Amino acid sequence: MKTQRKIKQLINPTAVSDGAGVKLNRLIATPTLDYLDPFLLLDHFGSDNKDDYIAGFPEHPHRGIETVTYMLKGKVTHRDTMGNEGTISAGDIQWMTAGGGLMHEEMPVAEEEGLSGFQLWVNLPKKLKMTKPRYQEIKADKIPVYEKNGAKVKVIAGEVGDVQGAVTEIYAEPNYLDVTLEANAEFTHPIALGHNAFAYVFDGSADFDESGNFVANPKLVILTDGDFVKIKAGENGARFILVSGKPLNEPVARYGPFVMNTRAELYQAIEDLQNGTFVWSEKKEVVTI
Ligand code: FE
């Protein structure tokens, strides 16, 4: 007997300012929801007014986590201490494993169309906190699409039917789907029992529990445990990201862009920054996935 996942909690976005003064809506990492193991943060950034985002995120450190940026519109340039540099545009995904430490900048570009996208933080287990930094950057046209019965799903990570996601080899075994449903269309999707899962509805509305109650955007939907989810769009259709992952069940010690297991490891990160030894290098102990 398979169990259908239902709604555990509905959460409204919290308006915050981060980076050098970027206005964004925060869904995870708020007083309402500190984290949903292994997901540490979810932001929906962007605006049609460049003053809300143009200050961007000048150079800053990360350690112990993965940061995942998915663009809906506009452009963000990035550059880091591993020598990576580029621009991500609408539909592109950047899955960055910060691991043992890197510094990077993420700077939005002022475009006529404005800016919109998501940043998700995925935790790393204790054994991979100090791993070598790694990028998986995939352009929009390389992200596989699943289409059936009024559902169009961009499969960023995980699998839908026989369509394999673009991003692979991530410890949390994540599903990250960008789902667009036509009016009244249904989408049923298996999610591994025991994995934590959420949907963020950012366009239209959808029924997540066959109750006839439609969740209107913008809203974060935390799902109960189970084997699958069944979602039906309202009469104006729906668009949402559907994300799930394996919980780590480890202690979480966080301070800004560092997420470790203990406070001592956070102090070490700050000390390393001050000593100029923060950035991961081959000279340090090599930990591989
Ligand atoms: Fe960052």
Side-chain angles (χ1 to χ4, degrees):
M1 178 75 185
K2 299 282 188 193
T3 308
Q4 183 175 348
R5 288 176 179 251
K6 302 284 179 71
I7 298 172
K8 183 177 179 184
Q9 193 180 5
L10 294 172
I11 296 176
N12 290 315
T14 301
V16 301
S17 178
D18 206 343
V22 178
K23 288 184 185 166
L24 47 83
N25 280 326
R26 183 152 289 168
L27 288 317
I28 300 176
T30 69
T32 311
L33 181 64
D34 185 14
Y35 65 96
L36 181 72
D37 191 6
F39 305 112
L40 297 160
L41 173 145
L42 176 66
D43 284 341
H44 184 189
F45 57 81
S47 169
D48 292 334
N49 176 2
K50 72 177 174 52
D51 295 337
D52 290 343
Y53 61 77
I54 201 66
F57 297 85
E59 188 166 75
H60 59 277
H62 285 291
R63 176 178 282 181
I65 59 172
E66 303 185 277
T67 68
V68 181
T69 308
Y70 180 50
M71 298 295 295
L72 298 175
K73 64 177 182 177
K75 288 184 170 62
V76 171
T77 62
H78 67 92
R79 187 167 56 178
D80 71 39
T81 47
M82 297 296 287
N84 298 295
E85 195 170 346
T87 303
I88 47 175
S89 308
D92 297 348
I93 186 96
Q94 182 196 73
W95 200 295
M96 184 187 85
T97 306
L102 58 69
M103 310 277 289
H104 75 163
E105 61 173 43
E106 301 159 283
M107 301 302 287
V109 180
E111 296 275 325
E112 195 85 348
E113 57 180 336
L115 179 79
S116 182
F118 300 109
Q119 182 156 110
L120 175 73
W121 289 10
V122 185
N123 206 357
L124 287 168
K126 184 175 177 58
K127 65 179 177 185
L128 293 177
K129 290 268 184 212
M130 299 300 283
T131 194
K132 182 178 180 178
R134 182 176 66 146
Y135 270 96
Q136 293 191 60
E137 190 163 300
I138 293 147
K139 294 293 173 195
D141 61 357
K142 293 285 188 291
I143 296 179
V145 178
Y146 168 93
E147 273 186 275
K148 196 176 178 182
N149 301 333
K152 182 178 178 186
V153 184
K154 295 183 185 180
V155 188
I156 294 163
E159 57 182 73
V160 180
D162 55 4
V163 177
Q164 297 291 324
V167 175
T168 57
E169 293 170 50
I170 300 296
Y171 183 83
E173 299 169 17
N175 269 266
Y176 192 144
L177 312 178
D178 172 2
V179 183
T180 304
L181 299 181
E182 291 174 8
N184 306 310
E186 284 185 7
F187 177 61
T188 300
H189 182 65
I191 298 175
L193 189 68
H195 284 204
N196 283 322
F198 67 82
Y200 174 60
V201 183
F202 59 96
D203 203 3
S205 65
D207 178 351
F208 286 82
D209 55 6
E210 297 187 280
S211 65
N213 296 322
F214 288 83
V215 176
N217 80 89
K219 194 82 77 181
L220 181 70
V221 182
I222 309 297
L223 297 167
T224 58
D225 199 8
D227 303 285
F228 71 99
V229 68
K230 188 174 178 183
I231 302 163
K232 183 181 179 186
E235 55 191 23
N236 292 317
R239 189 170 177 195
F240 52 90
I241 50 172
L242 179 63
V243 179
S244 64
K246 179 174 66 177
L248 302 179
N249 296 311
E250 290 181 359
V252 172
R254 63 195 295 172
Y255 179 71
F258 317 127
V259 187
M260 306 301 288
N261 297 109
T262 66
R263 290 183 70 82
E265 289 165 339
L266 294 177
Y267 292 132
Q268 186 64 53
I270 294 162
E271 205 178 298
D272 288 350
L273 261 185
Q274 288 165 347
N275 293 342
T277 55
F278 178 81
V279 171
W280 187 92
S281 91
E282 299 284 352
K283 292 183 202 112
K284 294 186 184 175
E285 184 190 359
V286 177
V287 186
T288 52
I289 290 174

